[in-house]
Amino acid sequence: MEKSTIKEYLPFTGLFVMAAVLGAIADPVEQPRPFAPSPFVEAKPAEEGTGVVLIRSDEWAEQYPNEYMTYLMNNENDEVTDYIEENPYIRTLYEGYGFAVSYGSARGHTFVIEDVTSTGRPHKLANCFTCKTGDFTAKVLNEGTSAYAMDFADMEVQVTDAFGCFHCHANEPGVIYVTHPYVTAAIGDDFVNVNAANLSCAQCHTEYYFDPVTKETKVAYHGLGQMSPEDILAYENSLVDAEGNLFCDWVDADTGVRKLKVQHPEFETFMGEGSIHMAQMTCADCHMAQTRAEDGTMFTNHNWTSPLENPELIRNTCSQCHQDLTAQVRTIQAATRERENELGYALEQLDKDMAAAIEAGTLNGEALEQARTASRNAQFYWDFVFVENSEGAHNSRLTNACLDQAQAYLDEANACIQGQ
Ligand code: HEC
Ligand code: HEC
Ligand code: HEC
Ligand code: HEC
């Protein structure tokens, strides 16, 4: 891991030296400090089975006013766009699954409980609370993995703190703890190689799944070397459910395709091959910038928003290398959205053509099985991009590679239908 990222860092050296030289010539008071890579900080895995009692976020308000005040600012990030209205083809792609009924965009962390209880999607089990409340995190630490299979309603009444300090700090604000044990397990021996801030976000911004037998929340890899989209798909394709069938999130009724739903793989995308900033920056550098309080103290901003909404960060840090970061990001995102939409409609057409061919009796036997596998894989690669919240900004190379794979599997499925 360490060695392969050195290569990524080399192209920056020239820019870095240039920025340092410019900084030395200009008025030192007006110039930002030259950009320096984020220091490495090691996270701690939270202890399990220790009678953990959760301290609520508001109980830290007095001791850590700046962190708490910026945490409350997440309430201002309250807009939700309707993904189904924006991308009508997902009604077909997710048909038979909750996201075809209701799918709103993400918003501020403090809305998680409201959003999970009012999605309009059916909830059965408490495992839906994994990324929503520290009360459930504490319960899993205390009771072990059996907690995931509890009833959703039984857990709902026990929630005292929504998304809060506990997830990232246990009860020790300032120290980063990984309190979600499935993440500690997934990262394995590489735990000591991942910067604490990245791990704190990886607890939720990751491609998780619910174990088909035990209902535990799990991540589909072991170690950083296995978390490419290819490896994750291969792993999910090797799992079976309690009846011995190929693992899936749901079966499409019209085509028999055993479909997979990807979940916000920000960690895997940012840490994946082709990531420009993985070696020098963490999620916190861009989403939790260092901020000066009125009394002059520097603190870590706990309002998790887009870096483009932080003009100070762009001025002081990003613009040392980027002339117009906003325009650059919007260009990447527009190109990603265009490909995503084009493939989304093509995958919708594939579903319809496959259903028609099955009904007409022209697609069966081995060709049908091959078409089903190709369709499952195509939708997985497309979804890996569609549900990644940066729309290409975190790693445009990996994003495009995924969309290329989606296209290749789509072509394979279409060839099966056409009997080629
Ligand atoms: C999603 C993860 C996350 C949550 C939730 C979170 N923090 Fe933090 N916190 C961080 C990160 C990352 C840092 C920076 C640590 C570093 O860079 O070493 C940090 C730093 C801090 C620090 C050190 C001082 C500073 O500002 O840098 C304090 C104190 C702190 N957080 C308090 C809180 C409190 C209080 C809450 C709840 C209201 C909270 N945090 C919620 C991730 C989180
Ligand atoms: C405990 C789980 C959890 C952790 C830990 C976590 N997040 Fe989130 N995050 C979520 C959920 C869930 C949402 C969507 C909230 C909603 O829409 O109700 C979200 C939303 C966001 C958003 C807003 C997205 C939008 O469209 O407005 C940003 C930005 C974000 N997270 C960044 C981070 C960063 C950076 C970290 C690590 C420092 C982090 N998150 C850690 C669960 C988590
Ligand atoms: C080099 C800077 C950078 C780093 C590092 C980074 N991001 Fe981002 N992130 C961005 C940009 C730029 C966007 C797009 C923002 C926009 O559309 O306005 C984004 C978007 C997001 C969003 C969607 C937010 C929104 O407002 O729509 C989430 C969630 C997110 N990032 C989480 C993470 C997580 C988790 C990590 C670490 C694994 C991470 N980011 C690392 C720059 C970064
Ligand atoms: C030391 C120089 C440097 C600094 C500082 C820097 N960047 Fe970059 N960034 C680059 C280079 C080089 C690239 C790749 C070439 C390009 O796309 O401009 C890049 C690319 C990006 C991309 C596109 C990634 C992709 O995969 O296409 C985003 C988004 C980004 N940077 C965000 C940020 C943000 C946010 C900050 C400030 C917090 C920042 N950068 C600070 C040098 C830098």
Side-chain angles (χ1 to χ4, degrees), residues 141-338:
L141 289 172
N142 283 328
E143 296 175 13
T145 52
S146 61
Y148 291 113
M150 259 176 81
D151 260 11
F152 184 86
D154 291 346
M155 185 60 220
E156 193 176 351
V157 294
Q158 296 180 34
V159 176
T160 63
D161 197 30
F163 178 95
C165 322
F166 186 82
H167 287 293
C168 303
H169 298 304
N171 290 327
E172 226 182 308
V175 180
I176 301 284
Y177 280 90
V178 174
T179 55
H180 295 211
Y182 58 92
V183 171
T184 312
I187 307 291
D189 292 344
D190 282 326
F191 194 91
V192 294
N193 297 322
V194 186
N195 220 323
N198 288 341
L199 278 178
S200 77
C201 312
Q203 300 188 95
C204 303
H205 290 268
T206 189
E207 161 51 356
Y208 72 89
Y209 68 99
F210 295 140
D211 186 286
V213 180
T214 64
K215 311 302 175 195
E216 279 171 66
T217 304
K218 284 188 172 171
V219 180
Y221 48 83
H222 295 99
L224 296 181
Q226 289 178 9
M227 67 182 205
S228 68
E230 287 74 23
D231 288 339
I232 293 175
L233 177 61
Y235 185 83
E236 292 185 4
N237 282 345
S238 75
L239 296 173
V240 289
D241 66 15
E243 285 85 46
N245 296 313
L246 173 65
F247 168 73
C248 65
D249 288 300
W250 80 104
V251 182
D252 183 79
D254 303 328
T255 58
V257 174
R258 303 182 68 79
K259 290 196 172 183
L260 295 169
K261 181 78 190 73
V262 183
Q263 328 282 344
H264 36 73
E266 279 84 59
F267 178 67
E268 293 82 354
T269 301
F270 177 61
M271 297 292 285
E273 205 177 321
S275 169
I276 305 270
H277 283 311
M278 179 231 294
Q280 328 88 1
M281 291 194 209
T282 69
C283 316
D285 291 321
C286 293
H287 292 285
M288 300 180 74
Q290 291 302 305
T291 302
R292 192 178 297 281
E294 267 171 28
D295 67 0
T297 43
M298 293 302 285
F299 71 100
T300 303
N301 197 318
H302 282 59
N303 182 13
W304 295 272
T305 52
S306 160
L308 305 182
E309 283 171 31
N310 188 339
E312 222 172 278
L313 173 73
I314 295 189
R315 197 170 51 241
N316 292 342
T317 307
C318 318
S319 57
Q320 291 186 37
C321 303
H322 291 275
Q323 270 188 359
D324 187 349
L325 181 65
T326 301
Q328 187 179 347
V329 168
R330 295 306 176 218
T331 305
I332 292 170
Q333 291 178 325
T336 306
R337 288 289 297 145
E338 195 182 326

